Amino acid sequence: MGPYWEDPDSGLQLHCGDMREILPALGIQADCIVTDPPYAETSLEWDRWPDGWPALATIVASSMWCFGSMRMFLDRAPEFTDWKLSQDIVWEKQNGSGFATDRFKRVHEHVTHWYRGDWNAVHHETPKTEVHHRTKGNARGGQPDHTGRRGTSVWEDDGTRLLRTVQRVPNMWRRGAIHPTEKPLGILDPLIRYACPPGGLVVDPFAGSGSTLDAARQSGRRAIGIEAREDYCEAAVRRLSALTLPAA
Ligand SMILES: C[S@@+](CC[C@H](N)C(=O)[O-])C[C@H]1O[C@@H](n2cnc3c(N)ncnc32)[C@H](O)[C@@H]1O
């Protein structure tokens, strides 16, 4: 079956249906998956974990960013055995999303990066950010490194630093969300830039409002999304059909 919606100009495609049927039928190899599956932690009708989806995901890519909670990843760990964990990121939000009144207020989610095969064969672009407080004369040749050893290499300050593993990005609360767990473009953008080269292909098998597709387009990547609910597919198409200016 063909896509529910597509925009050949920007290389976006949305499929409406169960990812367990659609993903294997796509017959594609993508650069990476960036996805936010149902965590199975709420009473929302769609919030049910599709058994076996991480194994299915290996059909289309060897690199995957996956949102989730610590509880979700621990509960579902046996389903990720086809993947190797490279790193985890914490998305810090401005307000809480937890439901328990007898625990710390949960203001973060995890994003884990998984890969298969040889790490060097998996695209990963070192994530850097510009710094504005440059220090002078901080080359560290001859200074002890963190192990106490004195090295001979000289570190040159090029005005950038690695992105931090804790990323503070406001969630979509009071920002016109069209999905109850919509992810902001600001957290998706660095994940996509890290794992997918410009012009490459991103897949999101749990597309919701189409946020991953939107972020992919804004960073010059192509994307294929799959979403089971038709109302969310309609909302995603409305969003993706609207003119979106590239991110500054
Ligand atoms: C956590 S939400 C994703 C939200 C999305 N990241 C966004 O920013 O809008 C998970 C989505 O997966 C969809 N879903 C659940 N089971 C599915 C399945 N078997 N196949 C495809 N989509 C499914 C749900 O309807 C829901 O919209």
Side-chain angles (χ1 to χ4, degrees):
M1 207 170 84
Y4 180 82
W5 173 87
E6 68 182 323
D7 176 16
D9 289 342
S10 51
L12 298 188
Q13 239 182 46
L14 181 67
H15 295 257
C16 191
D18 192 324
M19 58 79 69
R20 289 167 293 188
E21 290 161 21
I22 294 173
L23 202 60
L26 287 176
I28 50 136
Q29 266 306 303
D31 292 284
C32 68
I33 293 170
V34 176
T35 200
D36 174 28
Y39 298 5
E41 289 181 345
T42 69
S43 56
L44 291 167
E45 168 273 322
W46 54 261
D47 195 15
R48 305 281 175 272
W49 180 268
D51 287 331
W53 80 259
L56 275 181
T58 63
I59 297 171
V60 297
S62 298
S63 170
M64 173 168 75
W65 283 110
C66 181
F67 283 84
S69 65
M70 175 71 86
R71 184 184 299 278
M72 181 198 99
F73 286 115
L74 289 175
D75 285 351
R76 308 293 176 180
E79 296 210 32
F80 285 86
T81 47
D82 297 319
W83 294 92
K84 289 180 267 189
L85 181 67
S86 82
Q87 60 195 305
D88 60 291
I89 307 281
V90 170
W91 170 33
E92 185 190 353
K93 305 182 272 191
Q94 81 279 28
N95 59 14
S97 59
F99 309 104
T101 53
D102 58 352
R103 323 265 159 100
F104 281 47
K105 185 168 161 179
R106 193 171 95 178
V107 292
H108 74 282
E109 291 181 39
H110 292 268
V111 201
T112 50
H113 182 246
W114 305 83
Y115 71 103
R116 285 163 56 78
D118 177 6
W119 174 242
N120 293 314
V122 173
H123 179 89
H124 53 283
E125 183 73 34
T126 310
K128 290 198 169 176
T129 183
E130 287 187 8
V131 288
H132 301 293
H133 304 289
R134 299 183 63 177
T135 49
K136 280 190 181 161
N138 57 354
R140 294 187 301 197
Q143 293 299 311
D145 65 14
H146 67 284
T147 64
R149 283 191 301 257
R150 287 183 190 277
T152 51
S153 62
V154 175
W155 173 69
E156 293 285 347
D157 185 349
D158 67 354
T160 66
R161 299 289 184 275
L162 290 176
L163 278 190
R164 295 163 60 91
T165 54
V166 177
Q167 289 284 304
R168 188 161 216 275
V169 178
N171 63 22
M172 296 301 292
W173 187 66
R174 293 193 173 164
R175 294 207 292 144
I178 56 176
H179 188 287
T181 63
E182 184 170 331
K183 299 297 171 284
L185 299 180
I187 190 65
L188 293 163
D189 180 77
L191 309 180
I192 290 171
R193 289 180 191 275
Y194 179 79
C196 185
L201 179 62
V202 180
V203 169
D204 183 355
F206 301 102
S209 64
S211 51
T212 304
L213 277 67
D214 198 350
R217 174 174 59 183
Q218 294 203 38
S219 63
R221 276 77 171 167
R222 296 169 292 125
I224 297 177
I226 305 171
E227 168 54 48
R229 281 183 48 149
E230 189 152 11
D231 54 345
Y232 292 152
C233 286
E234 284 168 9
V237 169
R238 273 196 300 279
R239 165 200 199 145
L240 296 168
S241 303
L243 177 68
T244 315
L245 294 174

